[in-house]
Amino acid sequence: NAGVTQTPKFQVLKTGQSMTLQCAQDMNHEYMSWYRQDPGMGLRLIHYSVGAGITDQGEVPNGYNVSRSTTEDFPLRLLSAAPSQTSVYFCATNGQPMNTEAFFGQGTRLTVV
Amino acid sequence: SQELEQSPQSLIVQEGKNLTINCTSSKTLYGLYWYKQKYGEGLIFLMMLQKGGEEKSHEKITAKLDEKKQQSSLHITASQPSHAGTYLCGADFSWGKLQFGAGTQVVVTP
């Protein structure tokens, strides 16, 4: 049982490049989220999804796109990377918000130069 | 999240001493989570609180949610080096929207 799998673990991008961070879960959870973590700022919510076909913006959505075509996958797209997007990105899933814990992937460390 | 305030931002505690971290919101918290993170690693789930006045303990860590469900505290008794790390509180402000505080960095000295 893999849980929540994020790929890649590390990535270096040049300014203006695009890329997709992958998040896959095998727990059949409806709820999935993307966060970024910067020093001293905890986890900030980028986008979240309450089910396949449904996404919504979090606290810091600018510069990021998401889609949810299946229950299992929730990719995060950077269309034109900027140095301000250098961060550690975490994907999370939850089967029953407000009732059960959220499960996190191991993170993707992204550097934009 | 600005909706969740954690205090202190950081603290240094001598091994064997107790410590307390606070998490406060201006809104009612429907689910309050505590996670721990070692530097450069993922998040480890500690506890979840749902009901006003609820208190949970695991080993030397105790978490409480006040009656109004707007403030939670995490208390560590007789701290050990293994308690070092960053502690994060998180809350569901609406269905499926889990947000976190800025975290509290804990350093345990000999």
Side-chain angles (χ1 to χ4, degrees), chain A residues 31-33 35 37 40-45 48-50 57-59 90 94 96-106 109, chain B residues 1-2 9 30-31 33 35 37 39-43 45 48-50 86 88 92-103:
Chain A
Y31 303 89
M32 297 186 74
S33 307
Y35 299 87
Q37 187 173 36
M41 303 192 74
L43 290 170
R44 290 185 292 170
L45 181 64
Y48 66 105
S49 170
V50 298
Q57 295 181 350
E59 304 166 81
F90 287 96
N94 196 323
Q96 292 186 14
M98 304 183 188
N99 287 304
T100 60
E101 69 178 277
F103 294 85
F104 285 82
Q106 287 303 302
R109 188 172 293 273
Chain B
S1 166
Q2 292 182 342
Q9 278 188 315
Y30 293 101
Y33 306 79
Y35 284 83
Q37 186 180 32
Y39 180 77
E41 299 181 9
L43 282 82
F45 174 73
M48 179 185 179
L49 304 166
Q50 294 171 274
T86 298
L88 294 146
D92 293 299
F93 288 101
S94 62
W95 195 255
K97 189 176 183 180
L98 173 59
Q99 294 179 238
F100 287 86

Side-chain angles (χ1 to χ4, degrees), chain B:
Chain B
S1 166
Q2 292 182 342
E3 294 171 316
L4 276 177
E5 295 286 338
Q6 266 188 257
S7 62
Q9 278 188 315
S10 62
L11 64 92
I12 300 172
V13 61
Q14 191 175 21
E15 186 174 350
K17 301 293 186 184
N18 303 337
L19 67 96
T20 299
I21 300 167
N22 294 303
C23 179
T24 303
S25 173
S26 58
K27 300 179 181 179
T28 299
L29 303 170
Y30 293 101
L32 190 287
Y33 306 79
W34 283 101
Y35 284 83
K36 178 187 174 185
Q37 186 180 32
K38 292 274 193 186
Y39 180 77
E41 299 181 9
L43 282 82
I44 301 166
F45 174 73
L46 296 175
M47 274 171 270
M48 179 185 179
L49 304 166
Q50 294 171 274
K51 301 175 183 175
E54 186 174 10
E55 179 176 321
K56 288 186 177 179
S57 293
H58 177 67
E59 297 180 343
K60 295 186 177 182
I61 301 176
T62 300
K64 301 179 185 179
L65 183 62
D66 73 340
E67 289 290 343
K68 290 185 177 180
K69 295 172 65 177
Q70 288 185 298
Q71 185 169 355
S72 178
S73 61
L74 185 81
H75 183 77
I76 298 177
T77 303
S79 59
Q80 301 170 350
S82 61
H83 291 129
T86 298
Y87 291 81
L88 294 146
C89 68
D92 293 299
F93 288 101
S94 62
W95 195 255
K97 189 176 183 180
L98 173 59
Q99 294 179 238
F100 287 86
T104 296
Q105 186 176 14
V106 172
V107 174
V108 180
T109 62

